[in-house]
Amino acid sequence: MMQIMDTYNQKHSLFNAMNKFIAAVNNMDQTVMVPSLLRDVPLEDENKSEVNGVSSTGASNYYSDKWDMYNYFVLLKSIKNDIEWGVVQLDDRKKDKAATIDIRVDEVEGEEDLQKQFHYHLNGLYTVLSKLTRKANTLTNRYKQEIGFGSWGH
């Protein structure tokens, strides 16, 4: 029974989510041989669904209205690079901006709140990584459709 629970927990781990995202972006990067073909092609999600009860609409609609597949391609590769190599802040303005970000956690009182904060942010990170993984997979599949290789790799 413990083995089954460990497997289930591993499936929903942050580490596993990061690995899935990195694998999806690597697959996207290997598939897309001519990234410039992605310009001016809208990215339509194959399966708009919910991840952990959170709808994939909202802030993502802001980007989907203004971004094409090329913008997503560059964004996804950049995020993958940040995960693998760490975030490097290029100038002091970014540091100042990061210092002024409001965490929006009222009345932090003691160690138990740290655990709540950790779980909140961990859940949020897992949700974002799952959405980004879907975006990378969608972009890869759309690229295959656009260049006429619909049955490629299946």
Side-chain angles (χ1 to χ4, degrees):
M1 181 67 179
M2 186 63 171
Q3 181 71 21
I4 294 171
M5 282 301 277
D6 286 345
T7 304
Y8 176 79
N9 289 335
Q10 288 173 347
K11 180 180 176 184
H12 297 286
S13 73
L14 179 61
F15 183 72
N16 192 23
M18 286 191 308
N19 282 335
K20 283 181 181 179
F21 171 71
I22 289 170
V25 174
N26 284 339
N27 183 37
M28 174 191 75
D29 197 26
Q30 291 171 356
T31 302
V32 178
M33 294 185 183
V34 186
S36 62
L37 291 176
L38 302 173
R39 290 196 185 274
D40 300 324
V41 179
L43 178 67
E44 298 158 359
D45 285 343
E46 291 177 336
N47 50 354
K48 288 190 177 182
S49 62
E50 295 184 356
V51 176
N52 292 341
V54 178
S55 174
S56 63
T57 59
S60 64
N61 283 344
Y62 173 80
Y63 293 113
S64 63
D65 291 342
K66 298 177 183 350
W67 283 30
D68 58 13
M69 286 177 55
Y70 182 80
N71 293 100
Y72 280 111
F73 179 82
V74 172
L75 174 73
L76 293 165
K77 285 186 61 168
S78 174
I79 292 171
K80 175 192 158 259
N81 193 40
D82 289 346
I83 289 173
E84 289 182 327
W85 301 103
V87 178
V88 178
Q89 296 189 350
L90 300 176
D91 61 14
D92 292 335
R93 286 184 295 155
K94 287 184 180 180
K95 290 179 184 176
D96 291 341
K97 187 177 180 180
T100 61
I101 293 175
D102 181 20
I103 299 173
R104 295 183 186 186
V105 177
D106 298 329
E107 301 176 10
V108 177
E109 296 178 0
E111 298 298 318
E112 64 278 352
D113 288 334
L114 292 175
Q115 185 176 11
K116 275 185 188 177
Q117 290 176 31
F118 175 76
H119 285 276
Y120 173 79
H121 291 291
L122 184 65
N123 187 37
L125 184 57
Y126 180 83
T127 301
V128 168
L129 282 170
S130 296
K131 288 178 183 180
L132 291 170
T133 301
R134 280 198 318 271
K135 289 280 188 198
N137 289 331
T138 300
L139 190 147
T140 303
N141 292 333
R142 272 298 302 281
Y143 179 81
K144 288 177 185 178
Q145 289 174 356
E146 290 293 322
I147 62 170
F149 290 122
S151 61
W152 225 26
H154 293 285

